[in-house]
Amino acid sequence: MIAEFKRLLVGNPIETAAQHEQRLSKRIALAVFSSDALSSVAYASEAILFVLVLAGVQALPLVIPISVAIVVLLLIVGFSYRQTIHAYPNGGGAYIVAHENLGEVPGLVAAAALLIDYVLTVAVSISAGVFAITSLAATWGYSGLGDYRVEIALGCIALITVINLRGVKESGMIFSVPTYVFIISMVCMVVYGIFQVAMGGWVAAEPKVAEVAAAAEPLSIFLILRAFAAGCTALTGVEAISNGVPAFKQPESKNASTTLIWMIATLGFMFLGISTLAHYYGAVPREDVSVVSQLASEIVGTGPIFFIIQVATALILVLAANTSYADFPRLASLLSRDRFLPRQFSSRGDRLVFSNGVVALGVFAALLVVAFDAREQSMLPLYAIGVFISFTLSQFGMVRHWLREREPDWQRSVLINGVGAALTALVLVVIVVTKFTQGAWAVLVLTPILVLGFRAVHKHYQQVARQLSLEKAPRVEPVRRHTALVLISGIHRGVVPALEFAKSIAPDNTTALYVDLDAEQTRKIEEKWARWGAGIPLQVLDSPYRSLVRPIMRYIDEIDAQYDDDVLSVILPEFITSKWWQHLLHNQTALAIKAALLFRKGVVVISVPYHLEN
Amino acid sequence: MIAEFKRLLVGNPIETAAQHEQRLSKRIALAVFSSDALSSVAYASEAILFVLVLAGVQALPLVIPISVAIVVLLLIVGFSYRQTIHAYPNGGGAYIVAHENLGEVPGLVAAAALLIDYVLTVAVSISAGVFAITSLAATWGYSGLGDYRVEIALGCIALITVINLRGVKESGMIFSVPTYVFIISMVCMVVYGIFQVAMGGWVAAEPKVAEVAAAAEPLSIFLILRAFAAGCTALTGVEAISNGVPAFKQPESKNASTTLIWMIATLGFMFLGISTLAHYYGAVPREDVSVVSQLASEIVGTGPIFFIIQVATALILVLAANTSYADFPRLASLLSRDRFLPRQFSSRGDRLVFSNGVVALGVFAALLVVAFDAREQSMLPLYAIGVFISFTLSQFGMVRHWLREREPDWQRSVLINGVGAALTALVLVVIVVTKFTQGAWAVLVLTPILVLGFRAVHKHYQQVARQLSLEKAPRVEPVRRHTALVLISGIHRGVVPALEFAKSIAPDNTTALYVDLDAEQTRKIEEKWARWGAGIPLQVLDSPYRSLVRPIMRYIDEIDAQYDDDVLSVILPEFITSKWWQHLLHNQTALAIKAALLFRKGVVVISVPYHLEN
């Protein structure tokens, strides 16, 4: 029944041989891997204005040069990742690049930072997307929807988790439609808006001054850097494609590289366009309506096209979470294969996805949504740090790579990656400084804890491997003598096969054990034993505290001490009900005894079943 | 660590032989078993006035004759239960009396009704007690406490559950202090109030007419019956002592009977006193202050004595829940011994209490508290029906008992129980009719569902007993031949003892099984097998869908079909980590395979452990 429900939810199993058919075309890959990056245009320009406005209205035009600078940074980071894609065709995530070129610890730091960021991407994007929907509902007159934001967000996370458990290709199909609706509507809006501004002779509208408070701070270099850092949220998600190279159709590297260029061009155009329009339309951050919504309503009115833009924005924000569903399980499986995470993360489920990673991501994101009441504003200070940690480590790693490999044209590559590394390191410092007290500290605390955890797991697996190695293993002697203990809870048909089994392996060395919990019962058992005991001696154990397990364990210790050359087997007669729920009606004592024996050294546990008919 | 935490919470285990020392003295028994009954004076008089006031101010004086009638009913029910205590010294709950005298179905109906009522007693009493505390806090200026009523109620339930897991006697000690504070303060208040009324020449005060709405209904017989039924909540909990006879010190019946008389005298005096005072002080039901609080503040003022009365009222309401903690687990264990509930309810925990029943009661009550938002008003319509169902069945059962036994003086006994049965049946009908649409229907639906559940459980246990009976069992042949399959996940030290064990029981009939999940791994295993395989043939199984369990089950089916005269053993080499949490780092495949084999007929499962050092 559980199995059928699972089939209904996630579909039928897929053969391992079908692995290559699940690869993504460029068009679908763009939708799958770019929604995180593209969706950031919904808030990046606004984030810059939000800082600039602190210095008063006259600082607002700086949004354009700052956005240009961010696009330059974007291009540099993009070029850097293009080099990574070609150097690491099997998926060149920051973890691999940093691990190979800088060493284990930098690799693990990058991995920890990325895992944190993937969880945050899901929580932030889903929350922001749900907020867009509830805001739309509120605008259209139903303000009560906002009370259910946590429930809706959790529902969305559950839905995306299930879709991803079905497998990569199907989720790509489902997600490509809203992504392309968003891209087309956004690009059209930007083009039409710029066209109107140009027709009007490039005259900037007055910022809605009523909304703008008096300048709270002077326009300092620090403030400009802070605005720049805030706008850098536009870059989150750029690394997605380089992590996901193996999911592309062959030739993987070439297709991934082309898709990356498309994505950066689209992202850069939309981001710069919206920043420019914000200046010319005089849009400023407001409590109730986002900058992009202000632009959209001014450019296309509040009719059906406005509705489409709003819904597409909400959808791409929700779907941005999906990027993490491609990357988190893949990174977890890489860490798992290198024995830094439990093995469970490296096995593909029967739909060819890393099911455990998908489920883990969904659970962590849901916890964040509940903890932060589905308010993305509260989570934003934690966000983006992880990405810039991994950008920096990854590009320093590439610099090291080129310096070592010295391929043709290596000087140019070192220059590109070196500039990128220096710039992203600078941005990282600015983000940490400006966001530290608002929550950035939490990420800086959690990252080293995760790294220590990875190393502890790794150490454990190494110890196990060493202890299990057959090289230099002491010789195991053949079994000379069996000693058998049969645990009985009464005299019934289920006991007889267990007694026969015991006699067959230890004919002269078998004892039946019964724990005395009720004097009357014990007397009856002792009376019947002569007839039904198959000639095996019965040992009754006292249990003053009514515990079943403790007297048995004590007796086993005594017996175990008697011989040195035997194998001690504990035989449990178990009667098995025909329906699983009937199990609940019987004392789970066999289970408790097995659990206790598991951690006792050197006892073989034998379950002899007796199956009931109904 | 878990074991230590449990010890800290519930104390050290107690020997079975100490069972008699845990018996209750009469004084402590009164506190343990009467808090439910006594606490009802906090709302019973008010419940009568609440109905009477519908017919206007002139109907209010009827509270005294109605209360007298209820006290008469109380005496009759009390006499009836005294007879039960002597006729059933091992605990004469309604279940036993109805089961023995009226048959299985009436007994189960009584049991179901009582179980429902015990859960409701906990939920209602805790909620009302918490409400009293939050009301006090609100009166003294901190109204915010009411927002945490559900949390406080759940905390109280958790606390009482833990106290009861520690054992009967200790909970009696803890609970007797507030019960006696309540009794003494209430009795003093009633005596002093009556004294003042008598000094004033028995002149009734004007009811606070401003509070009383115009008469909404005529004063009909039906309305008077309804007021009577509402006041019958005073009788809830009267049956507690007769259920708990075995918990008394020897001679149990005599001590229980004496305690019952004390309880009924105290309850009758307090209830009648409060109803009388309500008339003479002109107290009427109000939204903000209860009738008892109105009386208390008029008689003793709003100083420290008022505070003591309020707190004692709150405490006894919370502690009333404790009566159910004595009765619910005991009834559940009786049902369990008769095989109408799962066996787990009949085993005493290591502190000599029926731990599973205690925990189940706590969980169900907590669910009710959450579902009804800790508002006892919403639960009251469901309450008391269960008690009157069991009163009625129990007393009809006693009538049958006397008619059959014909002991000396049987006519008088038949008369007492007959009148009681007729009266409680009448009250039951009135309660059902007047409360049906407000929730009473739910109890009437749930009761038969529980009865059907009891019978389904019973049928299952009977079938199992029949199938396990050794009478007429087919003879089990000694084991002639062993077939062994060793499941291996790799070649390491943990595998070797399993192979040796297999060779010792099936020297020429052992096969090693390996599931091919990765072609590269499989090739390595096959290469190494010649050296490490101990001469046992290796069978590699294909698994196109990467499932481990399915290919193994299929292969077992094939092997099983080969011989008819063998025992097929599946041997699992398990390496056991030295710390339990390290288990989480390894695939739980052994567990999955064991679970699958459990329901496969006729396979013996053998775990051969290999213990890791660290």
Side-chain angles (χ1 to χ4, degrees), chain A residues 13-16 342-344 348-352 457 460-461 463-464 466-474 476-479 482 491-494 496-497 500-501 504-505 531-532 543-546 550 567 569 574-577 579-580 582-588 598-614, chain B residues 13-16 342-344 348-352 457 460-461 463-464 466-474 476-479 482 491-494 496-497 500-501 504-505 531-532 543-546 550 567 569 574-577 579-580 582-588 598-614:
Chain A
I14 297 172
E15 280 196 47
T16 315
R343 286 179 195 212
Q344 287 90 330
R348 283 182 188 268
D350 49 20
R351 292 282 294 181
L352 271 176
V457 168
H460 170 75
Y461 280 124
Q463 283 176 338
V464 169
R466 209 165 30 239
Q467 288 182 62
L468 288 180
S469 163
L470 283 165
E471 306 298 332
K472 297 189 214 146
V476 176
E477 298 295 320
V479 179
H482 282 282
I491 299 188
H492 54 68
R493 287 193 207 182
V496 183
E500 291 299 337
F501 189 94
S504 78
I505 66 167
R531 180 167 170 210
W532 300 107
S543 179
Y545 298 104
R546 299 165 308 288
R550 268 168 284 174
V567 171
S569 296
E574 291 189 67
F575 64 94
I576 311 295
T577 53
K579 295 175 188 78
W580 66 266
Q582 293 172 336
H583 247 291
L584 303 176
L585 295 176
H586 300 277
N587 270 327
Q588 302 302 311
L598 190 68
F599 286 94
R600 201 206 164 280
K601 221 166 170 168
V603 171
V604 173
V605 179
I606 302 180
S607 299
V608 180
Y610 182 81
H611 287 261
L612 299 173
E613 296 298 329
N614 50 41
Chain B
I14 296 172
E15 281 197 47
T16 315
R343 286 181 193 207
Q344 287 89 332
R348 284 184 188 267
D350 48 20
R351 292 279 296 181
L352 271 175
V457 168
H460 169 76
Y461 281 124
Q463 283 176 338
V464 169
R466 209 163 34 238
Q467 288 182 64
L468 287 180
S469 163
L470 283 166
E471 306 297 334
K472 296 188 214 147
V476 176
E477 298 294 322
V479 178
H482 282 282
I491 299 189
H492 53 69
R493 288 192 205 181
V496 182
E500 290 299 335
F501 190 94
S504 77
I505 66 168
R531 180 167 169 209
W532 300 107
S543 179
Y545 298 104
R546 298 166 308 287
R550 269 168 283 173
V567 171
S569 297
E574 291 189 68
F575 63 94
I576 312 295
T577 53
K579 294 175 189 79
W580 66 266
Q582 292 173 336
H583 248 293
L584 304 175
L585 295 176
H586 300 276
N587 272 324
Q588 302 301 311
L598 191 68
F599 287 95
R600 200 204 165 281
K601 223 169 168 163
V603 172
V604 173
V605 179
I606 302 179
S607 299
V608 180
Y610 182 81
H611 288 262
L612 299 174
E613 296 298 327
N614 50 40

Side-chain angles (χ1 to χ4, degrees), chain A residues 4 34 37 42-43 54 80-81 146 184 189 270 308 344 347 393 398 504 522 543 614:
Chain A
E4 281 164 27
S34 72
Y43 48 79
L54 293 173
S80 175
Y81 272 111
I184 291 165
M189 185 190 88
M270 293 197 300
I308 291 171
Q344 287 90 330
S347 54
L393 288 170
M398 289 306 292
S504 78
T522 305
S543 179
N614 50 41

Side-chain angles (χ1 to χ4, degrees), chain B residues 505-524:
Chain B
I505 66 168
D508 53 356
N509 209 2
T510 294
T511 311
L513 284 189
Y514 180 74
V515 179
D516 170 19
L517 294 176
D518 179 306
E520 175 67 13
Q521 280 291 334
T522 305
R523 200 183 47 73
K524 279 191 201 157

